Structure formats: C-alpha cells, structure tokens
Amino acid sequence: MSLELHDTSTANGPNMGWSGIGVFKYASMTSVNNYPLAARPNEIEQNSANGRGYWLFTPETPGDLGDLLESLPDESSFTEVGGIAQGLKTSGSVLVEGAPVSGKSHLVRDLQVAAVVHNVPTFALSTHVNAGKRTGVENIREPLVRFMEHAQYAGGVVILDNVDYLGYKGSSGKARSRSAAEEYARTFQPLVEELIGHPRVTVLGTAHDNRWREGKWTWRDQAIDGPATATLEAFSIRTTFEGKMALVGLAHILRERNLRQSEGMPALDLGSAARIIRMLRANDMADFFHANHLNAHLFLEDPEAALREIDSGRGARYGDANKR
C-alpha cells in the first residue's frame, strides 16, 4: 500500500468548507434515535423487538415527496446520492448494492432524517431484524397500513435495509433455520413487489454486493433462493454504492469517530481534521469505510500505518484484507 501525502492547504479552497462543524446542515440530526425522536415523539414510532425491526414516520401534515427527492443530494453525507435521488424520481425504486461497511445503513439514516425535515411519510425496515421471526411479515402489516394512509396524497418513502437478507443462510453461530428462511422469503417477496408497484410509494433498498452474497447465499434451495433473487430483481434500478462522502459527511464522521476514541487523547483540532480530509480526498479514500475506521491521531503520525490497521481489520472480518 502506498499513500501519496498530498497536503496543500488550498486543495479545497481557502476554507475547504470545514465551517465545520459549521456547515453541517443536519449534523445534530444524524442519529434517527436522537433528533427526530426527541423533536417529533408523536409522529415517529420504532420497534426493533420480536422480529419487527421497523421505523415509521407519519407526520400530521405530510410534505411533498418530490421536494424531498429534489433536495436530498444537498442533505446527504454522500456524493453518490444525486444519482440515487434521480433514479428514485424517474423509476420509483432503486436498489443500492455495496460492500460491507460501505455506509449503506448510514445512507438510510440520512434519508430518514431528510424525510423528517421535509415531513414525508416514511416506513423503514431492517430486513435482517424482521426476518428473525417466523411471523416477521405479519409484524409489519399494521404499521404499513398506517404508513399508506399518510402517503396516499403526497407520496411516501419505503426503505428496505439489508433486503438481501432474504437469501442469507448465516455464518458460524448465526445460522438461520431453513423453514424460517423459506417462510419469510415466500411471504416477503410479494409484499416488496406490491410496494414497488404502488404509484404513491418510492422504494429504496440496500443490499450487500455480489461478492459478499456469493459467500453467504448457500441454500441451493429454489424455494428460498428463487424469491430472494426475484426480490432484488424487482427494483427498477440497481446501482453500486461505494460510500464516497461529501465534505460535510467526512467532517461529521471524523468528528464522531474522534469522540469515540478520544479518551485519554487530545481532542482533534479543526486544523488537523481539515488536513486529514484533504489527504483522504487527494488519495481517493474519502469514503465512509476509511473515515469511520480511521485512527485520526495515528493517521497524523503515520498515515500508511493507520490505513494498514483499517484494512487488516476489514480482512479479519470479511477475509478481504486487500480491498480498499
């Protein structure tokens, strides 16, 4: 691994936008368990227990879905959101496929927060949680009905995070039973197709990339693999997601990361953070994966060692130490 240490102070303009923690349009809202729940307790409901795994936003006065999609590129952490938003506008459904830890679930949180800001009814499902019970699909029918009641006039958003879990067999210690997987795949596929075909609903799905799925989708049982594959193919557009981050998103992730690891360390000053961002961007590493796992203090002392630490950790978890 070789890192070219480009570090010109004017690389991104005199101020490079680190206003910083000043230009975060939604910095204080990034956690959907923080700002939205605190600010809109009567309009937001979530239930992650007993195979439910949903998050439901039903504003008293629904806003316009078109306004949300139009403004979304300016309100997300990721540079790729412009294309995703355009795909949602033109086709109504987009499946975002990316490597593990590429930021797909962070993208989902961005969309949830933007939906709250724009008062757009939203139903978000953590498929891997909902699939944990044989009754998973039944657990979400009633909240979905309430979502549709709010979305029928100005439109609404459905988010299906980790939708490829339908075909997931599991790994050591986390294996799913064949009968439970078959039951969920059989009942979930028609629900997804119904949502994608609804004229008032825009659907965003996230899934792991093919390389990951090839190692995990090992049922070799058409009763499971058939509906699982058909669910992914139901989306009008499928796009690869690399987690490339906008300046604001990079700054926010670095700030959160530094707060998590700063015990016993000096706080990361803005100048150092700006330098890190410049180097990441100059070396094509300005993505969620690197920013979220970066030891900022080690990076400032020895950038190559810091990056080796990140990639070796990823390799230990996913068996892919060379992937960046």
Side-chain angles (χ1 to χ4, degrees), residues 86-198:
Q86 183 62 33
L88 290 171
K89 283 192 290 186
T90 58
S91 74
S93 65
V94 173
L95 179 66
V96 172
E97 300 175 276
V101 204
S102 58
K104 299 182 297 296
S105 293
H106 194 85
L107 170 67
V108 165
R109 289 194 292 273
D110 276 1
L111 181 52
Q112 287 174 271
V113 169
V116 172
V117 171
H118 290 274
N119 291 308
V120 174
T122 303
F123 180 85
L125 182 71
S126 298
T127 308
H128 59 290
V129 175
N130 186 238
K133 292 281 186 179
R134 197 179 286 269
T135 55
V137 173
E138 292 303 316
N139 285 337
I140 59 173
R141 289 195 185 278
E142 188 274 333
L144 263 176
V145 168
R146 285 188 281 125
F147 161 75
M148 292 304 303
E149 289 174 350
H150 284 74
Q152 62 180 318
Y153 299 109
V157 174
V158 168
I159 305 169
L160 304 173
D161 196 17
N162 291 321
V163 73
D164 58 324
Y165 195 87
L166 256 66
Y168 181 57
K169 183 175 183 179
S171 53
S172 177
K174 299 180 181 178
R176 299 171 72 196
S177 75
R178 181 182 297 270
S179 61
E182 182 176 339
E183 172 76 9
Y184 192 75
R186 182 181 62 80
T187 55
F188 192 69
Q189 179 204 351
L191 176 63
V192 173
E193 292 179 344
E194 180 181 347
L195 289 169
I196 288 176
H198 197 286

Side-chain angles (χ1 to χ4, degrees), residues 194-205:
E194 180 181 347
L195 289 169
I196 288 176
H198 197 286
R200 289 292 187 182
V201 174
T202 292
V203 183
L204 174 74

Side-chain angles (χ1 to χ4, degrees), residues 76-84 94-108 110 204-209 238-246 287-289 314 323:
S76 173
S77 306
F78 299 98
T79 59
E80 297 158 272
V81 166
I84 294 170
V94 173
L95 179 66
V96 172
E97 300 175 276
V101 204
S102 58
K104 299 182 297 296
S105 293
H106 194 85
L107 170 67
V108 165
D110 276 1
L204 174 74
T206 72
H208 295 83
D209 59 4
R238 298 173 67 169
T239 184
T240 300
F241 182 72
E242 297 182 353
K244 298 294 185 182
M245 301 203 76
D287 54 57
F288 178 86
F289 172 67
R314 186 176 200 174
K323 185 167 184 177

Side-chain angles (χ1 to χ4, degrees), residues 223-281:
I224 302 171
D225 295 343
T229 300
T231 297
L232 301 184
E233 292 175 345
F235 286 83
S236 301
I237 294 176
R238 298 173 67 169
T239 184
T240 300
F241 182 72
E242 297 182 353
K244 298 294 185 182
M245 301 203 76
L247 176 62
V248 171
L250 270 175
H252 192 196
I253 291 296
L254 282 174
R255 175 176 178 269
E256 285 188 332
R257 177 66 177 168
N258 179 64
L259 291 174
R260 292 197 298 271
Q261 65 180 194
S262 62
E263 185 175 350
M265 296 181 178
L268 188 69
D269 63 88
L270 296 185
S272 296
R275 181 182 170 211
I276 290 173
I277 291 175
R278 283 195 296 270
M279 288 194 288
L280 287 173
R281 296 181 81 181

